[in-house]
């Protein structure tokens, strides 16, 4: 249900999270089950279920700005990083609130998945 998901609660300050970056529209938090030495989730504060549901292209710009800002703040720009967006259950999206994974700190394989 919109507004009741874990990311909505974090965005409203109702649930604690390790916030590393925040603007009026977007926030970045440390993942509680990291898949790499550096694993952050970039989430819009507005509830949007999946990447297919984004209607305002400005949101993508805000999310990418957050990615590059967090990467710079955490010293990941030199190391390199991967950005992952899972869209839908077939792609293993487990929380239906749009979020981007920023991963770094280890060598990743290709192809992913």
């Amino acid at each position: 249900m919109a507004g009741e998901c874990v990311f909505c609660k974090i965005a409203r300050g109702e649930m604690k999270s390790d916030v590393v970056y925040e603007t009026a529209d977007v926030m970045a938090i440390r993942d509680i089950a990291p898949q790499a030495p550096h694993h952050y989730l970039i989430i819009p504060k507005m509830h949007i279920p999946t990447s297919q549901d984004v209607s305002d292209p400005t949101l993508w710009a805000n999310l990418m700005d957050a990615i590059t800002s967090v990467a710079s703040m955490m010293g990941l720009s030199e190391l390199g990083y991967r950005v992952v967006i899972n869209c839908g259950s077939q792609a293993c999206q487990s929380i239906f609130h749009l979020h981007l994974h920023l991963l770094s700190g280890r060598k990743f394989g290709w192809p992913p998945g």
Side-chain angles (χ1 to χ4, degrees), residues 38 70-80 104:
H38 298 277
V70 171
S72 293
M73 288 171 29
M74 299 302 176
L76 308 178
S77 300
E78 295 292 321
L79 289 172
S104 185

Side-chain angles (χ1 to χ4, degrees), residues 40-111:
Y40 306 96
L41 301 177
I42 314 303
I43 61 172
K45 291 183 177 180
M46 175 191 308
H47 183 82
I48 299 169
T50 74
S51 59
Q52 279 300 124
D53 300 307
V54 176
S55 59
D56 181 0
T58 304
L59 176 60
W60 288 119
N62 292 340
L63 291 167
M64 292 311 297
D65 184 55
I67 290 276
T68 57
S69 294
V70 171
S72 293
M73 288 171 29
M74 299 302 176
L76 308 178
S77 300
E78 295 292 321
L79 289 172
Y81 55 88
R82 180 172 285 176
V83 177
V84 176
I85 305 170
N86 299 318
C87 182
S89 57
Q90 184 91 16
C92 294
Q93 183 178 1
S94 58
I95 297 173
F96 283 82
H97 181 122
L98 174 63
H99 57 286
L100 290 70
H101 298 261
L102 169 59
L103 303 133
S104 185
R106 68 172 172 85
K107 178 95 170 143
F108 296 106
W110 196 262

